[in-house]
Amino acid sequence: MTRPTQATISSAAMQHNLARARSWAAGARVWAVVKANAYGHGIESALRGFSAADGLALIEFEHAQRLRDAGWRGPVLMLEGAFEPADLDAAAALGLALAVHSEAQLRWLEAWRGAGRIPVHLKLNSGMNRLGFPPAEFRLAHARLSALASVPTVATMAHFADADVRGGAERALQCFLAASRGLAGERSLANSAALIDIPAARCDWVRPGVILYGASPFAGRSAASLGLRPAMTLASRLIGVQRLQAGDTVGYGSTFTAPGPMRIGVVACGYADGYPRHAPNGTPVAVAGVRTRLVGRVAMDMLTVDLTPVPGADIGAEVELWGATVPIDEVAEASGTIGYELMCALAARVRVEAAA
Ligand SMILES: *Cc1c(COP(=O)(O)O)cnc(C)c1O
């Protein structure tokens, strides 16, 4: 018997969300961000969903190779660039563009004598203080890259720390526009939140990630209200039913106590499948299409749900952990995290199927 825990990936939803991103992009070209195994959806699914993207952006060289092996001929941008000098050979061989965010990466390029040429995206540290050149060093870095015969084009990029908060990105936006003013090359700046909320950040290319998978980049604004469709459904089935009396408890730590007689269902899904262990009592779950709530602590392989709103549900009933009925962002919020983390954390043991 196959364990019923399954993720279903809808490339139709991904196509829809990409079209939605394009409508916000207002003519800017779209890098579909497919890092972290396409936010847990799988690189091959991403290719089906985002075949209409202008380019694909990611971090992992193994996955860039898989994109090429699967036939993607369009632009590919490596968002963290090279991790070691040998990555330059891989980039040239596979036709990848590289972010250049550090003096070390710049020196590797200056020293590189390999075959081929590598387009680069020079990254500005516009205030997030993770990767990128400080504004005072940005133009000199641009000039050094522009002088290299091995580098055909030098684009510029930066990444927002606070684009999901109203007004939060203004300083970083001005910093980038000032630092890149007058420099040759295309510019890219906007993540999902900036693409939706900051028209001035669209520039030549936008870089949406999470919205393409149908989750919201904003706390308090649902994906549905943004016109997005969930690309991932995590589903399972009831493998057990228990009748509780008042005072009975459920699961490890006995964190839920029945207030009166009630039925609970045992679902074949736990934290080893990627469901968050910190999801508290009350986190939404759907059983046979009816929204109900998690009760008791999430275990490695199982979780338990209140069957009061679905009295007919029995062993074998379908359970949606997240998807169209239970938005992933609601599960994330209840669990003190964001939809991004839940989709990326989908575990390898979960069977993944393409939606019909
Ligand atoms: C992940 C990432 C994005 C996409 O961010 P979302 O918030 O998912 O839209 C864009 N740019 C860079 C550099 C990234 O690392």
Side-chain angles (χ1 to χ4, degrees):
M1 252 289 275
T2 315
R3 190 162 173 264
T5 320
Q6 181 177 317
T8 308
I9 307 298
S10 165
S11 45
M14 292 158 93
Q15 289 160 9
H16 165 87
N17 296 331
L18 176 62
R20 195 86 188 95
R22 235 186 234 300
S23 71
W24 282 304
R29 275 169 288 167
V30 179
W31 292 111
V33 178
V34 299
K35 63 189 175 186
N37 198 27
Y39 289 48
H41 294 66
I43 281 293
E44 280 74 20
S45 305
L47 267 180
R48 281 192 295 276
F50 307 141
S51 58
D54 299 296
L56 300 175
L58 73 170
I59 305 236
E60 306 85 354
F61 280 80
E62 316 83 88
H63 284 180
Q65 170 89 58
R66 270 170 58 193
L67 289 174
R68 290 299 188 219
D69 291 347
W72 174 256
R73 307 240 170 283
V76 175
L77 169 58
M78 304 307 287
L79 292 165
E80 291 182 350
F83 298 96
E84 53 178 337
D87 291 339
L88 301 181
D89 298 309
L94 293 170
L96 315 177
L98 295 181
V100 174
H101 63 72
S102 67
E103 176 66 25
Q105 289 180 332
L106 178 44
R107 288 198 184 145
W108 296 340
L109 266 167
E110 288 177 329
W112 187 60
R113 297 289 172 266
R117 303 176 88 201
I118 305 173
V120 303
H121 292 240
L122 178 62
K123 186 161 188 178
L124 174 75
N125 174 6
S126 59
M128 195 181 205
N129 290 312
R130 296 192 313 188
L131 303 180
F133 287 81
E137 295 167 25
F138 196 63
R139 284 170 178 268
L140 180 57
H142 192 279
R144 284 166 63 191
L145 287 166
S146 302
L148 297 177
S150 55
V151 173
T153 55
V154 183
T156 52
M157 66 183 286
H159 190 51
F160 287 122
D162 300 302
D164 55 328
V165 182
R166 247 177 231 293
E170 192 53 32
R171 266 180 60 186
L173 172 65
Q174 295 310 327
C175 175
F176 178 72
L177 294 177
S180 61
R181 188 163 294 133
L183 293 179
E186 294 174 328
R187 297 185 293 177
S188 98
L189 185 56
N191 58 6
S192 292
L195 169 59
I196 295 170
D197 268 4
I198 312 175
R202 285 173 194 147
C203 302
D204 300 298
W205 288 79
V206 295
R207 304 190 308 266
V210 78
I211 56 173
L212 301 181
Y213 305 96
S216 173
F218 305 109
R221 281 158 81 186
S222 72
S225 75
L226 298 169
L228 302 169
R229 295 191 195 147
M232 179 191 291
T233 301
L234 178 61
S236 187
R237 290 183 187 273
L238 294 186
I239 58 168
V241 171
Q242 300 287 341
R243 282 179 189 283
L244 306 188
Q245 301 304 323
D248 287 349
T249 63
V250 182
Y252 290 121
S254 301
T255 61
F256 176 81
T257 305
M262 65 187 285
R263 288 169 81 236
I264 60 156
V266 181
V267 183
C269 183
Y271 62 78
D273 300 297
Y275 193 89
R277 182 174 173 277
H278 288 108
N281 286 318
T283 301
V285 183
V287 177
V290 177
R291 277 173 65 114
T292 177
R293 58 178 179 144
L294 185 77
V295 292
R297 191 176 282 169
V298 174
M300 185 182 290
D301 312 301
M302 281 175 260
L303 54 79
T304 35
V305 298
D306 182 359
L307 293 182
T308 308
V310 247
D314 213 330
I315 288 177
E318 286 211 29
V319 178
E320 180 190 294
L321 288 317
W322 56 69
T325 308
V326 179
I328 194 169
D329 292 323
E330 284 190 30
V331 179
E333 197 195 346
S335 311
T337 184
I338 51 178
Y340 294 75
E341 186 182 14
L342 298 189
M343 49 179 79
C344 292
L346 185 74
R349 82 167 175 186
V350 176
R351 194 156 33 91
V352 179
E353 293 204 346

